[in-house]
Amino acid sequence: MTKSILAGLLLAAASFSAPAMAAETVLFNFNSSSGGIYSSTTVNGEQVKARVSAWQFTPDNRGDHTINGSNYDLNSASLGRWDQGFGVTGRNDGGSNEHTIDNYKGFDFIVLQFDQEVSLDRATLSAFSVNGSKDNDAVIGYGLTDLSWLSTPGLNTDEDLFGNLFSGFYDIDGTGSSSYTNINPDGFTGNIWLIGAKWEDFSNSNSRGGNRNKDYDGFKFDNLKVTTIDPVPGVPEPSTWAMMLAGFGLVGYGLRRRPAQRRVAA
């Protein structure tokens, strides 16, 4: 076998056997921001970036969104950063402790847009007393979208966008105290996530005709731990395809230059 053929085969084999990038865990403490963009670095130096925005569902009989039989209007809100983490102040807020992510006078939530697909692992949900109730039940939404992670999602201008962004929602039961919680027990993945106070219907009445006990939820959000997603095994990256083609090209070139074998007369 000529040196050219051997070199080509080795190059092609190296292309096939190149190991896939492993999943890595990274912690966001959200201590520093550049224009609302947060970043954190994995052990191997890979940078994961996230954009955070705040929103509120406000009760409105003419609202476009229905939660538990009641209509709500969706509006952008103010995102705050305190020692205990992120909080939200919406158009319906104004009282004490209403700068938490809560479900009093509306449903507060934040949207996290990542520059890549990730799996959320754990986060701190620091419980705060809201209107006499202290609990931190949460709702989590996840999705995979082509929407640029740097863009502001027009949730308040496109009524269909909210439902199209998120593949599903699930609840996380809080402890009523500040806890570092597994917020993704089923291992969902996505590049856009929603974290909010649990969506409850507080308009129900008890058997005596009065308002039922309102177990409001309110928390601040911090210390988010995420895991990056492995590339699909067996599907080479574009650079790997280029190496493979170059390797096979060398193989073909070497074969063409081999001299023809001479026949020996009997």
Side-chain angles (χ1 to χ4, degrees), residues 93-223:
D93 293 335
S96 175
N97 284 332
E98 291 182 39
H99 47 69
T100 56
I101 300 174
D102 59 68
N103 47 20
Y104 179 56
K105 297 183 180 180
F107 298 108
D108 301 338
F109 63 92
I110 61 174
V111 171
L112 297 99
Q113 299 163 255
F114 292 91
D115 65 343
Q116 58 188 279
E117 187 177 359
V118 298
S119 173
L120 270 57
D121 295 333
R122 305 182 73 86
T124 299
L125 306 180
S126 298
F128 282 79
S129 179
V130 178
N131 198 41
S133 173
K134 188 176 182 180
D135 203 359
N136 51 353
D137 296 339
V139 60
I140 313 291
Y142 60 95
L144 193 61
T145 177
D146 293 331
L147 182 72
S148 171
W149 73 278
L150 287 170
S151 66
T152 302
L155 301 181
N156 56 333
T157 58
D158 185 349
E159 62 182 82
D160 296 324
L161 181 60
F162 181 85
N164 292 334
L165 282 178
F166 300 100
S167 304
F169 302 90
Y170 59 92
D171 292 334
I172 294 294
D173 292 330
T175 62
S177 62
S178 300
S179 56
Y180 196 46
T181 304
N182 180 0
I183 60 172
N184 188 12
D186 292 322
F188 294 113
T189 66
N191 58 6
I192 187 166
W193 291 81
L194 176 152
I195 314 291
K198 190 174 181 180
W199 294 337
E200 294 278 9
D201 182 6
F202 298 114
S203 62
N204 293 339
S205 298
N206 61 25
S207 58
R208 298 181 181 180
N211 288 336
R212 69 179 175 84
N213 180 35
K214 298 180 178 181
D215 188 20
Y216 290 109
D217 300 292
F219 58 85
K220 289 190 173 123
F221 179 85
D222 203 5
N223 301 319

Side-chain angles (χ1 to χ4, degrees), residues 233-251:
V235 179
E237 297 290 329
S239 59
T240 304
W241 279 116
M243 291 178 63
M244 290 168 58
L245 291 174
F248 288 125
L250 287 173
V251 172

Side-chain angles (χ1 to χ4, degrees), residues 6 61 73 96 232 247 250 256:
L6 179 59
N61 291 332
D73 194 22
S96 175
V232 179
L250 287 173
R256 289 185 59 188

